[in-house]
Amino acid sequence: MSDRNSFDYLNLDNFDESLDSRDYRRRRPERRGGSMSYSGRPSYDRRRSGGRRPNSRRPSSRRRRRRNRRRTRNRIVIVLSFLLVFALLITLIATMINGCGRRSPSVTTSTETKPPQQATVAATAPPARASKEDMLSISNFIEPQPIDDNTDGEETGAIYVWNRNGFELFGGSEDSGVYYADNVNKLAAKIPTVNVYSMIVPNHTEMGLPARLRGKVNSNSQAANIKNAYAAMSSGMVKPINAYNYLSEHCNEYIYFKSDHHWTGLGAYYAYTAFADTLGLPALSLSDCTEAKIPGFTGTLTDLAPGLDTDTVSYWKFPYTVTMDITDSSGTKQTYDSPYFEQEESGSLSYGVFIYGDNPLTVMRSSSDKAQQGKKIAVIKESYGNAFVPYLTYNYEEVHVMDMRTFRTVSTDNFAAYCEKNGITDVLFFNGIMSANNQDLLDSTAALFN
């Protein structure tokens, strides 16, 4: 498999949002629409030109201007007269129709035929929610039904732009999903004493583009890819998590960014509820949290496709305390009192609010009264997982987060040894669809165990 799934993609999954990178990276300046200043216009000397601009009209042209004004007024009068007559005709016709309706006798509706208005309501009623069993099934994938205004977009390289949203196209095949599953199976066999889970997250193209457009653009089926991967996972070692159906159910909500290849905090939350339901755990309610927002996010797709809307990054502060230790790429450990970088600003790095971006090792410790005593989870992820992992603090005393690309640069222990040393009970292999089909990132995951 080539980088970015057989397309000539920039490797967005390796976009550097690490904690230490913030010391030297600078946010891009705001994009402003330019206009010529008045100081750039040709000047003139009012005294030398007799008080008039050069080439100003002479008095001999005034008669023409008066004649043009009279013609304009006459045309306006004609148009207004026509509109008045037209309005009177409409009023007369409406009065005649209403009179006929009042004289019409009442009609008894047949018990065999629904009234037309009832039929319309039935046709537009939302479909019933699927059962939890169907939602969690790894073989039943619910087709997303995004709102479609029947317009077309434009393909720009590996990005499709539609309604000012950027959609990253997917080049993975059904076979590449099986290849991912084989890798997860091999790694799970090296940690036989822990519970192993796997979640593959579809991207905005699968959830936000109508089926008619997905059929036109050069993007393969993500449902087929994920379904094949889950079917190939060892039933005795790996438990797949079907986040696809939970995202499909909410596809018309703000679950993906318009200008970035990641999902939003809300999209990550719905995937978290899929995880909780699969494991039979109580799920955190966002109504118990406090929402905070960062407007003006210009994501990774902004420079790849023109005309994209900016975004707002939302995150939810929990009703319990979370401390977080981050080990950066230099091996330095720092401690924070929140899983969020709450000082994050508007601009190109706003997604870094989630766990301070990508770092080799992050450990969160929770005071949630729903956290099961002694339960600790390790999550192997790339940047898609940053918005997801904070929610796990509701159910686990400790959440250990390893970036698959850099963990071994700061750990002398391989992943299996780390799990044993730190009492890890659960492991989640977490990937966005693009990463699950990216050879470089799969190799990085395998290297964690060496």
Side-chain angles (χ1 to χ4, degrees), residues 33 81 114 232 237 321 349 382 388 405 437:
S81 300
K114 293 183 178 180
M237 293 188 297
T321 60
L349 299 178
E382 31 75 25
F388 173 87
R405 299 158 292 189
N437 290 266

Coordinates of all heavy atoms in Angstrom, one line a residue, residues 33 81 114 232 237 321 349 382 388 405 437:
G33 N -8.7 39.3 2.5 CA -9.0 39.7 1.1 C -8.4 41.1 0.9 O -8.7 42.0 1.7
S81 N -46.8 50.1 -12.3 CA -48.2 50.0 -12.7 C -48.5 48.6 -13.1 O -49.6 48.0 -12.8 CB -48.5 50.9 -13.9 OG -48.3 52.3 -13.6
K114 N -55.8 7.0 3.4 CA -55.3 8.0 4.3 C -55.5 9.4 3.6 O -55.3 9.5 2.4 CB -53.9 7.8 4.7 CG -53.6 6.6 5.5 CD -52.2 6.5 5.9 CE -51.9 5.3 6.8 NZ -50.5 5.2 7.1
A232 N -12.0 -10.2 9.6 CA -10.8 -11.0 9.6 C -10.1 -10.9 10.9 O -9.0 -11.6 11.1 CB -9.8 -10.4 8.5
M237 N -9.3 -13.2 20.1 CA -8.3 -12.3 20.7 C -8.6 -10.8 20.5 O -8.2 -10.0 21.4 CB -6.9 -12.5 19.9 CG -6.3 -13.9 20.2 SD -4.6 -14.0 19.5 CE -5.0 -13.9 17.7
T321 N -12.0 15.5 38.2 CA -10.7 16.0 37.9 C -9.9 14.9 37.1 O -10.1 13.7 37.3 CB -9.9 16.3 39.2 OG1 -9.8 15.1 40.0 CG2 -10.6 17.4 39.9
L349 N -3.6 25.4 14.5 CA -3.3 24.4 15.4 C -4.4 24.1 16.5 O -4.1 23.5 17.5 CB -2.0 24.8 16.2 CG -0.7 25.0 15.3 CD1 0.4 25.5 16.2 CD2 -0.4 23.7 14.6
E382 N -3.0 7.4 16.4 CA -2.4 8.5 15.7 C -3.3 9.7 16.1 O -4.2 9.6 17.0 CB -2.3 8.3 14.2 CG -3.3 7.4 13.5 CD -4.7 8.1 13.3 OE1 -4.7 9.3 13.3 OE2 -5.6 7.3 13.3
F388 N -10.6 11.6 21.1 CA -11.4 10.4 21.6 C -11.0 10.1 23.0 O -11.8 9.8 23.9 CB -11.2 9.2 20.7 CG -11.8 8.0 21.2 CD1 -13.1 7.6 20.9 CD2 -11.0 7.0 21.9 CE1 -13.7 6.4 21.4 CE2 -11.5 5.8 22.3 CZ -12.9 5.5 22.1
R405 N 3.8 6.4 16.2 CA 4.9 6.8 15.5 C 6.1 7.1 16.3 O 7.3 7.0 15.8 CB 4.6 8.0 14.7 CG 3.4 7.8 13.7 CD 2.7 9.1 13.3 NE 2.0 9.7 14.4 CZ 1.2 10.7 14.3 NH1 1.0 11.3 13.1 NH2 0.5 11.2 15.3
N437 N -5.0 2.1 6.6 CA -4.6 1.6 5.3 C -3.3 2.3 4.8 O -3.0 2.4 3.6 CB -5.7 1.9 4.3 CG -6.9 1.1 4.5 OD1 -7.1 0.0 3.9 ND2 -7.8 1.5 5.4

